[in-house]
Amino acid sequence: MYKFIEEIKNIYQKFSLAKIDIPAMINNAVLFVLAWFSVFWVFQFFTMIPAFSLGAKMILRTSDIDFNTMNTASSDRQIWSDTDNIVNIFGTPVIMLSILIVVALIFLIKWKSDRLNIRRYLFWLVICGSVRLAGNYVAGALFGHSFNIWQWYLVTDFLGWTTSPFMKYLFVALILLILYVTFRVMSGQIKLLFNPFLSNRINNLLSSVFLPMLLGCVFILIYHIPLEPFCDIVCLVLMMVYTAFVLCGYFVARYRGIEEEIEPADEKEHINKVPICVLLFFVVIKIIDLIKGGIVISASLYKRFLFENIILFIVAVILLAVLIISVSVYRKRMKRRQRVFLRAYLEQKALSNQGLSEKSKEAFGIKDSPKNMDKYLEGWVDSLDQKEEISNTELYPNTTETKTNVDLDKYKTRWQESEQ
């Protein structure tokens, strides 16, 4: 107990001496809010599409989708009594948001982007998407009857998985456990936001994670005034709790005892104006929503037919764009691999024409090709657009027009050792 109190005291002293990087805090807070809005509208959009295609009426607001006010007719009750309809309406956004989280996590880990704000946005996208999925289910499962919350907990209810209170609480515990695992994994990805070895970790943790999240949560609560979206409140509470005790806690524990090398930053970070402009766009949408009171969406046969064709056209365009991008990336990679092979072949050919002994060739790993590759080199060079980079003297080292361009200095030491 004494050691625990001392540890808390040491952490408090470090936090009390922390110097906050104001530009980094503002940039992270803005990107956090944009990631939150991105996740929210993805969830809302893929809830609205199946509901519209089934003929359900709704009021679309910047805070929620109101199904309860509009669906009063007997035909509307038939829509909501069908299990398949419930699964389509509230199950589709769960699937799409899960795909978004996985894709964002893959890009965050695998894509070595040198743009810090892109890494920040992907980081917050994974965090906000996970909290949105968990928070919506917890809010609906525990408080749905009290606050008329229409969320994806209805999927498990209609499928018969959470008909008893025990199963409902069990699913809530499972969702919270999955959220814990997600935050535990993301605690190791904080290193993509700043270098934990060459700077003060506590300062950067406050400036890049905790305080931006706190400021973003306050902004989101103000954004939803005068409504009281209970799902968002539950999501934000989960966000603050898991960020404080899991995300930051595990990060501090992971680097505890490792010496820090405090180095001054080469360049001071500046406030990024582009995300702020995008955030102002969401503020304008909120003002319009307050004036109009939401958009009433009602479906007819013609509207649904037109909407489905628009969706199919957009999907076809996206698939075509993905195909074109994939082919382009594949061709560039193949050219890069051929260029590397061509360079290696030319260097070995140049070395073999310098009169190396058999012992030297064996030391260099040079093998005489049974085929004469010279006739293929010109075609390769033309296809790779390397006429300026690879000259004729490299293609034919025996020519006396100019000296070979292959640099043999890197082979000098190994060459001398092989001749001894």
Side-chain angles (χ1 to χ4, degrees):
M1 185 65 181
Y2 176 76
K3 292 183 178 179
F4 177 76
I5 295 176
E6 286 295 323
E7 188 68 27
I8 295 296
K9 184 178 179 181
N10 292 335
I11 294 176
Y12 174 76
Q13 290 177 352
K14 289 184 178 181
F15 274 77
S16 62
L17 297 175
K19 297 180 180 179
I20 307 302
D21 188 348
I22 301 299
M25 182 183 65
I26 294 175
N27 289 334
N28 275 284
V30 173
L31 291 171
F32 166 77
V33 175
L34 291 182
W36 180 272
F37 285 150
S38 300
V39 167
F40 173 79
W41 284 111
V42 166
F43 203 91
Q44 298 295 77
F45 181 74
F46 287 101
T47 301
M48 181 188 68
I49 288 178
F52 180 84
S53 62
L54 293 172
K57 300 175 183 177
M58 68 199 86
I59 300 177
L60 180 62
R61 303 192 185 98
T62 55
S63 301
D64 60 354
I65 296 179
D66 186 0
F67 292 109
N68 194 56
T69 302
M70 298 295 297
N71 296 281
T72 56
S74 58
S75 58
D76 299 328
R77 296 192 185 98
Q78 293 177 0
I79 296 174
W80 299 107
S81 61
D82 192 342
T83 301
D84 294 337
N85 294 343
I86 296 296
V87 173
N88 288 334
I89 293 174
F90 296 105
T92 302
V94 175
I95 296 173
M96 300 307 299
L97 194 53
S98 300
I99 294 174
L100 178 64
I101 294 171
V102 173
V103 171
L105 184 60
I106 292 174
F107 271 98
L108 178 65
I109 297 175
K110 297 297 183 180
W111 185 24
K112 305 303 181 182
S113 175
D114 58 347
R115 296 185 178 182
L116 180 59
N117 284 330
I118 293 179
R119 296 199 299 267
R120 288 169 172 171
Y121 178 75
L122 293 173
F123 176 85
W124 287 119
L125 201 64
V126 176
I127 294 295
C128 294
S130 304
V131 171
R132 171 61 62 181
L133 286 179
N136 280 22
Y137 187 87
V138 171
L142 299 182
F143 310 103
H145 295 290
S146 302
F147 293 91
N148 293 322
I149 299 175
W150 298 50
Q151 284 300 337
W152 72 276
Y153 80 99
L154 293 174
V155 175
T156 58
D157 284 355
F158 272 72
L159 291 176
W161 297 347
T162 54
T163 53
S164 64
F166 172 76
M167 291 300 298
K168 192 179 292 292
Y169 295 140
L170 181 63
F171 261 77
V172 170
L174 178 62
I175 292 295
L176 294 178
L177 178 61
I178 295 174
L179 184 62
Y180 170 83
V181 173
T182 303
F183 271 79
R184 177 68 179 85
V185 171
M186 293 306 296
S187 65
Q189 305 307 319
I190 298 180
K191 64 180 181 293
L192 299 176
L193 306 184
F194 58 86
N195 192 329
F197 298 102
L198 299 178
S199 56
N200 191 303
R201 287 190 286 268
I202 297 299
N203 291 350
N204 280 312
L205 193 64
L206 288 173
S207 302
S208 299
V209 179
F210 189 76
L211 289 180
M213 179 272 303
L214 189 61
L215 291 176
C217 290
V218 173
F219 178 86
I220 292 169
L221 289 176
I222 297 174
Y223 185 84
H224 288 303
I225 294 175
L227 299 177
E228 296 180 1
F230 196 79
C231 284
D232 285 71
I233 294 175
V234 173
C235 290
L236 294 177
V237 170
L238 290 177
M239 173 78 72
M240 289 186 285
V241 171
Y242 275 83
T243 299
F245 293 98
V246 181
L247 197 69
C248 298
Y250 272 97
F251 178 81
V252 172
R254 181 174 184 178
Y255 295 97
R256 182 184 291 121
I258 300 177
E259 185 178 356
E260 297 175 340
E261 297 181 12
I262 308 298
E263 291 187 0
D266 297 334
E267 295 182 1
K268 291 185 178 180
E269 184 172 353
H270 300 285
I271 297 176
N272 196 343
K273 298 179 181 179
V274 176
I276 296 178
C277 294
V278 178
L279 185 60
L280 291 177
F281 172 75
F282 283 101
V283 174
V284 172
I285 292 178
K286 179 64 178 181
I287 295 174
I288 296 174
D289 179 48
L290 292 175
I291 296 174
K292 295 191 63 175
I295 301 175
V296 177
I297 299 177
S298 59
S300 64
L301 185 61
Y302 173 75
K303 289 181 180 179
R304 281 183 282 173
F305 177 78
L306 179 61
F307 188 72
E308 289 173 359
N309 282 277
I310 293 174
I311 294 296
L312 290 175
F313 176 76
I314 293 175
V315 170
V317 171
I318 293 175
L319 292 177
L320 181 61
V322 170
L323 179 61
I324 295 174
I325 294 173
S326 301
V327 171
S328 176
V329 171
Y330 175 77
R331 291 186 61 185
K332 287 183 179 180
R333 287 187 176 181
M334 289 300 297
K335 283 188 175 182
R336 191 180 302 116
R337 290 177 183 176
Q338 291 175 355
R339 198 174 294 126
V340 171
F341 171 76
L342 178 57
R343 174 64 65 182
Y345 174 78
L346 290 174
E347 290 185 353
Q348 289 190 358
K349 184 175 176 63
L351 287 173
S352 65
N353 283 276
Q354 299 295 325
L356 298 181
S357 64
E358 294 297 329
K359 185 178 179 181
S360 298
K361 290 183 179 181
E362 184 179 353
F364 285 120
I366 299 175
K367 296 181 180 179
D368 293 332
S369 176
K371 297 182 180 181
N372 184 10
M373 300 292 292
D374 290 346
K375 61 182 180 180
Y376 300 107
L377 293 182
E378 282 194 49
W380 280 351
V381 172
D382 293 338
S383 65
L384 297 175
D385 299 328
Q386 293 295 305
K387 289 184 178 180
E388 296 181 359
E389 180 180 344
I390 303 175
S391 62
N392 290 332
T393 55
E394 288 183 275
L395 293 177
Y396 306 102
N398 290 331
T399 57
T400 58
E401 296 179 2
T402 56
K403 294 183 179 180
T404 179
N405 293 331
V406 180
D407 185 11
L408 297 180
D409 290 340
K410 59 184 177 181
Y411 299 110
K412 185 176 181 180
T413 303
R414 191 173 175 185
W415 194 347
Q416 292 175 349
E417 292 176 354
S418 65
E419 292 291 346
Q420 293 176 358

